[in-house]
Amino acid sequence: MTPLARPMPLGPVMLDVAGLELSAEERDLLLHPAVGGVILFARNYAEPVQLCELTRSIHALRSPALPIAVDHEGGRVQRFRAGFTRLPPMASLGRLWDQDPADACEAARAVGFVLASELRAHGVDFSFAPVLDLDHGRSGVIGDRALHAEPEGVCALAGALVEGLGQGGCAAVGKHFPGHGWAEADSHTALPVDSRSLQQIEARDLSAFACLTGKALAGIMPAHVLYPAVDSVTAGYSRLWLKDILRGRLGFQGIVFSDDLCMVGAHGVGGIVARGRQALDAGCDVVLVCNDPRAAVELVAGLHRSCPPATLSAFARLHGRPHAAPMSALQRQAPYREASRVVAGLSSTRAA
């Protein structure tokens, strides 16, 4: 523990920061007992040394350190680019699966390993990955972020990707439970609706989550999607989806992260504090608030919640593996070089 680190248990709110370094106001906010983590975006990255300094300064604030997350999937959702391997969209693994499932799983492990190793080299603890939504050919916001259209392909490829993430030092957080691939709207800007029955969702989309809800996934993020045939609220606010189905029927014991409560798809239950309370009451362990500093301040001030011991124990799995190799050392290691070669082959095949 560094002299600056303040002993304090993790809280149930994960929030973002504005720029390339912490402001004095952000340092104070991150020391609030309701805060339990930080999510970074492209605006927080200029170059590798700067990112390492930013993550170091966040980790030094508290003990245990605040976990640092990012949406770093590949394709169009990759927050850090210059100085990082350009990861192909996950759909490229699905196309390879159709040709050779064994090669596709090997490639998925390589992608996970490179992704995790590079994040850990820069002090980031984990990515919100993999995407477990099926590609129904309907959702533009999911699209090529999905691994495959069939549950079997998603299960196999995601399982291999999770293995690679673990080998690289990162835990895995699957999203968007119980599946965002059928609903057409983008929950960032509208409320998506999936009118299918529970039986239809269970038969396909839910099975992609069920196969990984044991020890493979440290976390799951529910969708800001309304499934009116199942419940009258979106999955992230639904006790039926989160407690009865995810926890009860599927036996998931990891951390449940809400998706960003500032997204339009999350607006239906009131102000930011009401949203945070309902998400936690429904079964979320950690709630995200992004791209709205005023909402972040309001939420941590008004929530008055702490994490129970079981949540704190599960949260510990989200800290990245310690003693990660810096990029200069990582680039000399044979496993990383071989995995990078495989990833480059995926990218070149897509370009061709």
Side-chain angles (χ1 to χ4, degrees), residues 147-167:
L147 285 159
H148 204 272
E150 296 300 324
E152 296 80 7
V154 172
C155 286
L157 293 169
L161 187 69
V162 168
E163 289 178 16
L165 288 170
Q167 292 165 1

Side-chain angles (χ1 to χ4, degrees), residues 132-154:
L132 300 177
D133 307 305
L134 302 187
D135 180 11
H136 289 283
R138 297 168 57 92
S139 173
V141 72
I142 300 301
D144 63 2
R145 296 167 65 192
L147 285 159
H148 204 272
E150 296 300 324
E152 296 80 7
V154 172

Side-chain angles (χ1 to χ4, degrees), residues 31-32 63 88 133 135 204 214 223 230 238 249 284 301 305 333:
L31 288 170
H32 193 286
S63 178
D133 307 305
D135 180 11
R204 292 179 54 78
V230 183
S238 169
R249 192 180 308 175
C284 291
R305 300 286 185 96
Q333 296 177 1

